[in-house]
């Protein structure tokens, strides 16, 4: 394995030699004391498939996408398992992002790895020391080759292919490794048959409802055409139903842009041109303005009018028999007006008091924020000093072992990293990734 880049980083793969025994590769990293002082926060690993450092040197740059970013984690995790996706030549780029805080470092992550387009790394950047952004981003690269027998392969014929297709029927992506495939198998031969039956029934019902809907819409269109015919409107003919008018049913319920409206033809336009005119000077009426909608609008209007009329008659009949109600309403309105006038007189004083209170609150808030910021800076420095001491003791280039021993790493890291590394160590032994 060849390596090029920053001398402040060292990356150990697998057992420290060129022979890989698994396609899920354990990787460990170490830093120089000078790099530790720069506050390394994140480590990211990018896989350039099908390329070696020799190819890199001849092409002068590598281009990679977000899918090539296989790992990003905290520097204090010390190690990680990287599952590969294909056999053959590979080049690992290890980025180390530094910053006074994790937020500062994450800004560099966004710039170099999480942009919208492809990312680039130049050979000269590595050849000249692998340091970017004024000692805030360090890079190292190493290449290796992965034999094909370390990967699992999906069956391509016979009963095995049938099982593969059935197991992955309801998944957009193929399984990453054998463990995920086994999980899908359990689902495929227990619950999935019932899902399949309900899916088929649901699709049948959906098609039936769709057919009924289309038939009803066509009837709506046809009956509306006949009704308008009695008023002297000439509807679109059957031969015209198609081509540019193929969305007639759609336009029963949705507005479209001005050109392409679904309309019936009316009379000739001689002197005026409006938005409903077409190139043949035929005025049209939109299809959704059928008499059926007029009837519905009329019923709604009549109902609202009836309710308002009945309520109004009730109020009038009561006030005719009891004039004291009107007097009471007048007195109430006068009282409201008087209170409002008094309130306007004292509004200026109240606004001044409120302004002073707001200024005092703002002053106290700024004082609290300042104290909290000072406390945060102190705590952040204490945390940074602890992490520096941890990295100097456990990720120093001087003490970095020649091969990755995950059991030793697990003894040093926090609980969440212990669980993650332990799980991946067990998984790498029983689950081959699919190529």
């Amino acid at each position: 394995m060849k390596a090029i880049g920053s001398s402040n980083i060292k990356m150990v793969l697998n057992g420290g030699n060129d022979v890989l025994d698994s396609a899920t590769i354990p990787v460990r990293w170490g830093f120089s004391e000078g790099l530790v002082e720069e506050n390394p926060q994140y480590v990211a690993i990018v896989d350039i498939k099908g390329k070696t450092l020799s190819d890199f040197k001849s092409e002068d740059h590598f281009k990679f996408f977000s899918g090539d970013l296989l790992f990003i984690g905290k520097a204090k995790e010390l190690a990680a398992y990287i599952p590969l996706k294909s056999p053959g030549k590979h080049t690992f780029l290890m980025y180390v992002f530094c910053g006074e805080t994790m937020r500062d470092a994450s800004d560099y992550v966004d710039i170099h790895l999480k942009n919208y387009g492809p990312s680039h790394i130049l050979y000269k950047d590595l050849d000249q020391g692998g340091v970017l952004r004024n000692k805030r981003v360090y890079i190292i690269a190493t290449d290796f080759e992965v034999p094909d027998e370390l990967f699992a392969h999906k069956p391509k014929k016979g009963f095995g292919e049938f099982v593969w297709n059935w197991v992955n029927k309801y998944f957009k992506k193929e399984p990453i490794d054998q463990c995920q495939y086994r999980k899908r198998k359990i689902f495929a031969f227990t619950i999935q048959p019932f899902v399949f039956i309900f899916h088929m029934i649901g699709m049948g019902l959906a098609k039936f409802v769709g057919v009924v809907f289309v038939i009803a819409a066509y009837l709506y269109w046809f009956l509306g055409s006949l009704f308008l015919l009695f008023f002297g409107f000439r509807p679109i003919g059957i031969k015209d139903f198609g081509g540019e008018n193929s969305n007639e049913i759609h336009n029963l319920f949705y507005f479209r842009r001005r050109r392409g409206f679904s309309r019936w033809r009316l009379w000739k336009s001689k002197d005026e041109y409006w938005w409903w005119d077409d190139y043949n000077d035929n005025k049209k009426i939109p299809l959704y303005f059928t008499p059926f909608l007029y009837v519905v609008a009329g019923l709604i209007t009549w109902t609202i009018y009836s309710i308002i009329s009945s309520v109004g008659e009730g109020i009038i009949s009561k006030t005719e028999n009891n004039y004291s109600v009107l007097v009471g309403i007048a007195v109430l309105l006068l009282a409201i007006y008087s209170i409002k006038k008094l309130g306007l007189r004292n509004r200026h004083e109240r606004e001044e008091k409120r302004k002073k209170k707001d200024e005092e609150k703002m002053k106290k808030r700024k004082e609290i924020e300042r104290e909290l910021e000072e406390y945060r800076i102190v705590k952040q420095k204490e945390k940074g000093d602890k992490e520096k001491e941890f990295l100097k003791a456990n990720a120093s280039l001087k003490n970095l072992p020649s091969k990755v021993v995950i059991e030793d790493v697990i003894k040093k890291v926090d609980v969440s990293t212990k669980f993650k590394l332990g799980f991946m160590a067990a998984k790498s032994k029983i689950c081959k990734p699919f190529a």
Side-chain angles (χ1 to χ4, degrees), residues 2-11 30 32 35 53 56 91-96 121-132 137-143 397:
K2 295 181 292 182
I4 186 174
S6 174
S7 59
N8 293 298
I9 313 171
K10 187 174 181 181
M11 176 170 42
S32 68
L35 176 53
L53 291 178
F56 189 13
T91 295
F92 270 1
L93 299 176
M94 176 178 282
Y95 285 78
V96 179
I121 178 68
L122 300 176
Y123 183 83
K124 66 178 183 180
D125 290 336
L126 292 174
D127 194 36
Q128 294 174 2
V131 182
L132 303 176
V137 182
Y138 293 77
I139 316 171
I140 191 173
T142 185
D143 60 2
L397 291 182

Side-chain angles (χ1 to χ4, degrees), residues 290-435:
T290 62
F292 302 108
L293 296 185
Y294 281 119
V295 171
V296 172
L299 289 173
I300 293 173
T301 303
W302 178 80
T303 303
I304 295 172
Y305 174 77
S306 300
I307 293 172
I308 293 174
S309 298
S310 61
V311 173
E313 290 175 359
I315 293 172
I316 291 171
S317 63
K318 289 181 179 180
T319 54
E320 285 177 351
N321 298 325
N322 192 356
Y323 292 101
S324 61
V325 175
L326 293 176
V327 175
I329 292 174
V331 171
L332 178 63
L333 292 175
L334 182 61
I336 292 173
Y337 177 76
S338 301
I339 293 171
K340 186 176 180 182
K341 279 291 186 180
L342 291 173
L344 288 174
R345 293 178 181 177
N346 299 325
R347 184 175 64 182
H348 182 70
E349 294 180 3
R350 292 198 304 269
E351 287 180 353
E352 287 294 329
K353 291 180 180 180
R354 189 185 306 115
K355 186 176 180 181
K356 289 181 179 180
K357 287 182 179 180
D358 291 341
E359 290 176 353
E360 290 177 359
K361 287 181 180 179
M362 183 62 67
K363 186 177 180 180
K364 289 180 180 179
R365 184 183 301 170
K366 288 183 178 179
E367 183 66 23
I368 292 172
E369 289 177 354
R370 185 185 63 79
E371 292 177 357
L372 288 175
E373 180 65 18
E374 291 176 355
Y375 178 77
R376 187 187 66 81
I377 292 173
V378 171
K379 287 296 181 182
Q380 182 177 290
K381 187 177 184 305
E382 292 177 357
K383 182 180 178 182
D385 292 339
K386 288 181 180 179
E387 289 186 357
K388 286 181 182 179
E389 293 301 321
F390 175 82
L391 292 175
K392 287 179 181 179
N394 301 293
S396 171
L397 291 182
K398 299 176 182 178
N399 303 324
L400 194 68
S402 59
K403 66 177 186 177
V404 182
V405 182
I406 292 297
E407 290 76 10
D408 292 342
V409 177
I410 289 177
K411 297 176 183 178
K412 302 172 182 178
V413 293
D414 56 31
V415 176
S416 61
T417 308
K418 287 178 191 288
F419 175 79
K420 182 166 58 176
L421 291 176
F423 173 78
M424 289 300 297
K427 183 178 178 180
S428 65
K429 296 176 181 178
I430 58 176
C431 296
K432 291 183 177 181
F434 281 103

Side-chain angles (χ1 to χ4, degrees), residues 58-78:
S58 60
E59 296 177 13
D60 191 47
H61 78 282
F62 277 160
K63 180 170 67 175
F64 57 89
F65 298 86
S66 58
D68 299 318
L69 177 61
L70 300 186
F71 171 80
I72 181 166
K74 297 176 182 177
K76 64 181 182 180
E77 292 180 15
L78 303 182

Side-chain angles (χ1 to χ4, degrees), residues 153-168 175 181 185 189 434:
H153 299 276
K154 69 176 184 180
K156 296 182 179 180
K157 59 182 180 179
F159 183 71
E161 184 183 14
F162 169 78
V163 172
W164 174 272
N165 293 332
W166 167 252
V167 169
N168 298 294
Y181 183 55
K185 264 188 176 180
F189 291 102
F434 281 103

Side-chain angles (χ1 to χ4, degrees), residues 37-50:
E37 292 298 328
E38 295 292 331
N39 293 314
Q41 301 286 354
Y42 289 106
V43 171
I45 297 177
V46 176
D47 178 26
I48 309 295
K49 296 180 286 293

Side-chain angles (χ1 to χ4, degrees), residues 195-307:
V195 174
F196 176 77
I197 293 171
F198 283 117
H199 177 258
M200 296 302 294
I201 294 173
M203 289 295 294
L205 288 174
K207 289 180 180 179
F208 174 75
V209 171
V211 170
V212 171
F213 175 79
V214 171
I215 293 173
Y218 270 96
L219 284 174
Y220 178 81
W221 171 76
F222 178 70
L223 295 175
S225 299
L226 290 180
F227 201 87
L228 285 174
L229 189 63
F230 284 100
F231 290 88
F233 300 155
R234 185 159 57 96
I236 293 176
I238 297 296
K239 65 179 181 179
D240 297 324
F241 195 79
E244 65 178 6
N245 299 314
S246 60
N247 288 324
E248 292 294 322
I249 299 301
H250 175 275
N251 288 327
L252 287 172
F253 305 100
Y254 299 97
F255 288 93
R256 297 177 65 199
R257 59 184 181 273
R258 290 183 175 181
R259 293 184 181 180
F261 259 69
S262 172
R263 305 178 183 92
W264 277 293
R265 289 173 289 187
L266 293 175
W267 57 89
K268 289 282 185 179
S269 175
K270 295 181 180 179
D271 301 324
E272 297 178 315
Y273 292 91
W274 301 93
W275 60 269
W276 56 72
D277 294 346
D278 63 10
Y279 295 109
N280 298 320
D281 293 336
N282 291 322
K283 282 196 174 182
K284 299 181 179 182
I285 184 172
L287 183 60
Y288 40 78
F289 285 162
T290 62
F292 302 108
L293 296 185
Y294 281 119
V295 171
V296 172
L299 289 173
I300 293 173
T301 303
W302 178 80
T303 303
I304 295 172
Y305 174 77
S306 300
I307 293 172

